[in-house]
Amino acid sequence: MGYFPFFMDISEKQGVIVGGGVVAARKVEKLLEFSPNLTVIATKIETCMWAQRSRLETEKINMLIFREKPFQEEDLIEADFVIAATDDKKINSRVSDYCRTRQIPVNVVDDKEKCTFFFPALVKDGALTIGISTDGKSPLVSAWVRKNIEQALPKGLGEIIDLLGALRSDVIASGKEEAIRKEILEKMFLYCLEKNCEVEGKVTLEELRSLFIEHEYS
């Protein structure tokens, strides 16, 4: 049947990670790119988890809070989503049961039946996010597909998306027909791709804006 790939804004949402080891740290690493507020609960916070916190800029340090203590259901009361990543199946099951009862999205590592959402293999480049899922059946295949997509994508695609996004409202406000607006945006995109393939190629917002004006009045 498969799972529908919803893309959600989790910026400043409250996430709880139950577990402080290597697997939990990997989940935290993926999540931090999307700026949620994460609380890690574990009887022992391992070095790999502290390393994730050390990567944060000073003003973002409160995005990742550690509570070195045994897990209790009360820890999940204000959670918007939860990850159970301990090596204790009973604790993971308690986390899943609590979340399912209260309709809190939960992911339980290596236990598909106790999850209400999966972690996709991610390809991330600025505003571009590609999620790959095999319905939890084969993380190995997901990782293989991710690697091949990363190798196939042109360099600097995230920066190109930011530039196009900055000018999209100008193109829309031009009042031109939809087909012409699409042609303008496509022209900008292809120009960026071509320029980025050059050894010293780097497109500026001013270049793209001049292309838009040139097209608009031609």
Side-chain angles (χ1 to χ4, degrees):
M1 179 177 64
Y3 288 75
F4 188 85
F6 280 108
F7 281 75
M8 300 178 64
D9 180 8
I10 62 171
S11 175
E12 298 186 3
K13 296 295 184 182
Q14 305 301 317
V16 176
I17 316 296
V18 183
V22 173
V23 175
R26 288 176 187 154
K27 302 296 186 184
V28 167
E29 182 179 13
K30 287 186 178 182
L31 288 166
L32 284 175
E33 289 192 71
F34 300 89
S35 301
N37 295 316
L38 300 179
T39 300
V40 176
I41 297 168
T43 53
K44 181 181 179 181
I45 307 294
E46 296 185 17
T47 304
C48 55
M49 189 67 80
W50 283 102
Q52 294 302 325
R53 197 164 190 264
S54 68
R55 294 171 52 236
L56 295 172
E57 299 172 8
T58 303
E59 63 271 18
K60 295 182 178 181
I61 204 73
N62 288 331
M63 285 173 51
L64 184 57
I65 303 299
F66 296 155
R67 294 182 181 171
E68 206 163 51
K69 66 180 213 53
F71 163 73
Q72 296 177 312
E73 278 81 358
E74 295 78 38
D75 297 323
L76 308 179
I77 290 175
E78 297 183 359
D80 293 308
F81 63 91
V82 176
I83 314 294
T86 77
D87 56 5
D88 187 323
K89 291 187 176 181
K90 289 184 178 179
I91 292 177
N92 290 346
S93 182
R94 284 173 58 201
V95 171
S96 177
D97 291 344
Y98 179 94
C99 291
R100 284 171 172 270
T101 300
R102 290 158 182 79
Q103 297 185 331
I104 301 171
V106 61
N107 175 269
V108 180
V109 174
D110 292 333
D111 196 335
K112 176 183 175 182
E113 301 305 318
K114 294 191 179 299
C115 297
T116 59
F117 77 93
F118 294 140
F119 259 77
L122 290 176
V123 176
K124 189 84 168 68
D125 184 355
L128 177 68
T129 301
I130 301 171
I132 302 143
S133 172
T134 57
D135 296 351
K137 296 175 182 177
S138 181
L140 178 66
V141 172
S142 293
W144 183 88
V145 173
R146 181 197 67 220
K147 181 179 179 180
N148 280 271
I149 290 176
E150 286 176 336
Q151 293 173 346
L153 289 176
K155 67 176 183 178
L157 196 54
E159 293 180 2
I160 292 174
I161 292 170
D162 288 339
L163 289 171
L164 294 175
L167 287 176
R168 185 168 179 267
S169 59
D170 290 347
V171 176
I172 292 174
S174 69
K176 293 186 175 294
E177 296 178 0
E178 182 179 353
I180 296 178
R181 297 200 304 267
K182 181 179 178 181
E183 181 184 343
I184 293 171
L185 290 169
E186 184 176 2
K187 179 181 178 182
M188 291 178 175
F189 176 51
L190 293 176
Y191 176 82
C192 290
L193 284 180
E194 183 179 353
K195 190 73 177 286
N196 275 17
C197 287
E198 298 175 7
V199 176
E200 307 230 349
K202 187 161 179 82
V203 185
T204 67
L205 186 61
E206 290 71 25
E207 281 181 83
L208 281 186
R209 196 180 298 278
S210 67
L211 277 177
F212 165 58
I213 294 173
E214 175 189 331
H215 193 291
E216 184 176 12
Y217 293 104
S218 61

